[in-house]
Amino acid sequence: MLLVPCRACGHQVDTFFVTCPGCRATNPGHKMSKQQAGLSVLLIQLIVGLVLGVGVCIYAWNTV
Ligand SMILES: [Zn+2]
């Protein structure tokens, strides 16, 4: 038995529950699918890369 917060309402639910007893959300113990998780990781990497790139550009611009 593993209790996790419901992805919709935060109610503590068992990972085996099909519906949340609090808000009736389906699969409350499952957060994102692997595809969605991979996509969000990719997005974060993209944002971090962009911020770093812009930061380096500004730094280079200021030192010239
Ligand atoms: Zn819920």
Side-chain angles (χ1 to χ4, degrees):
M1 189 170 159
L2 179 66
L3 286 176
V4 292
C6 167
R7 62 188 166 88
C9 69
H11 189 92
Q12 289 290 308
V13 292
D14 196 290
T15 48
F16 294 109
F17 281 4
V18 178
T19 54
C20 172
C23 66
R24 303 285 169 202
T26 52
N27 297 320
H30 297 268
K31 285 172 187 164
M32 292 182 286
S33 69
K34 277 185 180 172
Q35 203 175 13
Q36 283 176 311
L39 199 72
S40 55
V41 166
L42 198 76
L43 200 72
I44 288 165
Q45 286 177 338
L46 195 77
I47 291 166
V48 169
L50 204 72
V51 167
L52 279 175
V54 169
V56 168
C57 281
I58 290 169
Y59 179 77
W61 186 264
N62 286 336
T63 49
V64 170

